[in-house]
Amino acid sequence: MTKDIATRNLNDLITKVEAARLRVSEHHIVKIVGISKYSTSGDIKMLYSVGQRAFGENKVQDLKDKSEVLDEFPIEWHFVGTLQKNKINNLIDLNPVLVHSLDSLELANELNKKLEIKNKKMSCLLQINSSYEDTKSGVDPKDAINIYKQILETCPNITLKGVMTIGANSEDEAKIKESFIITKKIFDDLKEFNPMYCSMGMSGDFELAIACGSNLIRVGSTLFKN
Ligand SMILES: *Cc1c(COP(=O)(O)O)cnc(C)c1O
C-alpha cells in the first residue's frame, strides 16, 4: 500500500463516517478501528503515518507479531477475534486497549482468574450474537443484560465497557439492521452501568450501523484496499 492509497482510503472512510454520524447528531462521535487481520505491518504503518491510530486483530499470535514489529509507534491495539482459553495469558501480556469479543460468562470467569493471578485489568465488550447465526460467537440477546451484570459482579479484573456485534451475514439490509437494532437496545438498557462503546459495523455495513447508533466501527477491507 502506498502513502497515496492510504490517504485516499482513510479520507474516503472519514468522509463517509462523518456524513453518517451527522445524520444521527452532531454530538454523535464514532471511533474508527482499522482491522488489519488481512494486512501487513507495512500497511498498518502506512495508515498510521496518515493519521489512523487504532488497529485491531482477530488472532492473538498476529496481534503479538504485528504489535512487536510496530513497537515504536504508539498504536492503540484492539482484539476482536474469538479468544481460545489457551491463548488468554498471551493476550493479557499484550495489553490490548480493548477486547471486543468476550463471548460467554465462562470465558469471562476464566479471563478474570488469569487477570487476577497477573494482577492486571482488561477492558472488554460483551459480544452479542444478534443475528442468531450458529457460526457466530456471542451471547444470546435475551441473556445479554443478565450476563453483563454477572460479569460486573463476579469479574472485578474485567472492566466492561459496552457491547459488540457482527451484523447478520445477509444480502437483506433489513436483517442486518435488525441485528444492529437488537444490539443498540441492549446497549441502551445497560445505561445505568455507563457503557461506553456500542461496537458494530464493518466495511459493508458501517453506515447502517452508525444510523442504528454504533459509536465504534471496525473496518478492515475498505481501509486496507489497494
Ligand atoms: C474482519 C473483521 C472486521 C472487519 O471486516 P471488514 O469487512 O474487512 O471490514 C470487523 N470485525 C471483526 C470481528 C472481524 O473479524
Side-chain angles (χ1 to χ4, degrees):
M1 182 189 273
T2 63
K3 192 159 190 167
D4 284 350
I5 290 176
T7 305
R8 180 203 66 192
N9 288 357
L10 187 57
N11 280 345
D12 287 355
L13 178 62
I14 289 172
T15 303
K16 286 181 184 151
V17 170
E18 197 56 16
R21 76 162 190 94
L22 288 171
R23 285 193 287 271
V24 178
S25 149
E26 63 177 305
H27 303 292
H28 187 71
I29 307 298
V30 176
K31 181 177 176 71
I32 299 171
V33 178
I35 304 301
S36 45
K37 65 186 181 203
Y38 299 131
S39 308
T40 63
S41 308
D43 291 346
I44 298 172
K45 197 152 82 179
M46 209 48 100
L47 276 162
Y48 175 88
S49 76
V50 299
Q52 178 63 26
R53 288 292 177 271
F55 293 93
E57 289 286 334
N58 73 336
K59 297 213 166 69
V60 175
Q61 189 60 44
D62 291 345
L63 179 60
K64 183 173 195 300
D65 293 344
K66 291 178 189 171
S67 61
E68 275 173 11
V69 171
L70 297 165
D71 187 36
E72 62 188 297
F73 303 99
I75 288 172
E76 188 188 302
W77 287 106
H78 294 242
F79 184 75
V80 300
T82 302
L83 179 57
Q84 287 154 344
K85 283 201 188 123
N86 61 346
K87 302 285 168 60
I88 291 178
N89 276 326
N90 293 347
L91 183 65
I92 293 173
D93 293 341
L94 295 170
N95 294 312
V97 157
L98 187 64
V99 170
H100 295 231
S101 40
L102 193 61
D103 57 14
S104 71
L105 182 59
E106 193 194 357
L107 178 65
N109 286 330
E110 201 72 28
L111 175 60
N112 187 69
K113 221 188 300 177
K114 300 200 155 132
L115 285 164
E116 240 168 34
I117 293 168
K118 289 176 181 279
N119 195 22
K120 287 177 94 167
K121 298 216 166 188
M122 189 180 271
S123 293
C124 297
L125 305 179
L126 182 62
Q127 182 171 351
I128 317 286
N129 187 357
S130 59
S131 59
Y132 300 94
E133 287 165 22
D134 293 340
T135 52
K136 289 204 172 90
S137 314
V139 303
D140 189 312
K142 73 171 162 29
D143 304 325
I145 303 276
N146 248 322
I147 293 175
Y148 198 96
K149 285 184 186 165
Q150 283 191 62
I151 296 172
L152 284 176
E153 280 165 21
T154 62
C155 301
N157 293 57
I158 293 176
T159 309
L160 269 185
K161 292 201 163 165
V163 293
M164 178 275 235
T165 204
I166 298 172
N169 185 11
S170 169
E171 298 287 300
D172 182 358
E173 193 177 285
K175 276 203 181 125
I176 305 171
K177 189 172 177 182
E178 177 67 20
S179 51
F180 291 152
I181 289 172
I182 287 172
T183 306
K184 176 58 161 53
K185 167 89 166 56
I186 294 166
F187 179 73
D188 290 341
D189 289 345
L190 291 168
K191 201 171 173 182
E192 65 187 292
F193 307 111
N194 291 313
M196 193 184 297
Y197 293 119
C198 181
S199 167
M200 47 188 205
M202 322 201 313
S203 292
D205 55 21
F206 67 85
E207 286 162 302
L208 178 61
I210 294 169
C212 295
S214 166
N215 62 7
L216 191 169
I217 59 172
R218 311 174 309 270
V219 181
S221 38
T222 284
L223 196 51
F224 284 93
K225 69 173 181 269
N226 270 297

